[in-house]
Amino acid sequence: MALKQIIYASSLAPGEDESCIKPILQRAVENNSKNGFTGLLIYVNRSFLQILEGEAEPLDALYEKIREDSRHTKPWTLSAAPIDERQFADWSMGLAKPSVAELDEIGPSNDFFSKGHCLTELDESMARKILGEFRSGMWRIKVL
């Protein structure tokens, strides 16, 4: 079984609001549990950052469906690579909604978030740093 991890960012589509997040998360929890996917979703400032883990071929198929979802725009793949072990093995899906100020505390800040930039402008290094903070307990909300 070849495991893969995909990290991507996207923006909430025009005309959508935060009310679409709960149904996305509920469906992800249900489907991910059935299909052996793990990961988390971070939402801030109308932007998403998500990490997904699972068997390579089914994960690629899931990611294609996600990319076609009209509730978000500008999906940007930050990383898609094989992994030896999962970073979020206990999470069918987690959610974090940190504030811009909390994200700026991660550093090196350079005012990235406070100047209104969105998660789709992150590089892989900063995305991994944010995800690592989440995994270590910052902003964590486990959805059952």
Side-chain angles (χ1 to χ4, degrees):
M1 162 172 83
L3 288 175
K4 185 174 186 176
Q5 181 183 79
I6 297 173
I7 302 172
Y8 77 91
S10 64
S11 296
L12 193 61
E16 292 287 348
D17 61 30
E18 285 189 33
S19 66
C20 75
I21 296 172
K22 187 174 181 180
I24 290 171
L25 201 57
Q26 288 173 331
R27 184 165 181 168
V29 169
E30 293 170 16
N31 290 336
N32 291 358
S33 294
K34 290 178 195 172
N35 296 303
F37 301 129
T38 55
L40 70 98
L41 175 67
I42 294 176
Y43 175 80
V44 63
N45 205 19
R46 295 191 56 84
S47 298
F48 298 101
L49 176 63
Q50 186 166 29
I51 183 170
L52 296 165
E53 302 167 327
E55 291 184 35
E57 287 185 33
L59 186 65
D60 286 338
L62 172 65
Y63 186 50
E64 281 308 308
K65 286 182 184 178
I66 290 170
R67 290 177 54 83
E68 294 171 6
D69 190 324
S70 63
R71 294 173 289 192
H72 68 140
T73 62
K74 301 185 226 171
W76 179 256
T77 306
L78 296 164
S79 175
I83 55 172
D84 293 327
E85 62 183 354
R86 296 171 190 253
Q87 292 182 341
F88 297 90
D90 297 332
W91 295 76
S92 59
M93 186 51 60
L95 170 67
K97 291 173 71 177
S99 70
V100 170
E102 289 171 321
L103 286 173
D104 270 340
E105 289 176 12
I106 293 174
S109 155
N110 75 9
D111 298 327
F112 182 84
F113 295 103
S114 57
K115 296 242 187 226
H117 297 286
C118 65
L119 294 171
T120 57
E121 298 173 38
L122 287 176
D123 62 20
E124 182 181 351
S125 174
M126 186 60 155
R128 288 191 180 281
K129 189 167 193 156
I130 292 169
L131 295 167
E133 292 295 326
F134 177 89
R135 194 177 64 220
S136 70
M138 196 174 236
W139 324 301
R140 197 184 312 195
I141 300 169
K142 190 168 183 178
V143 178
L144 303 175

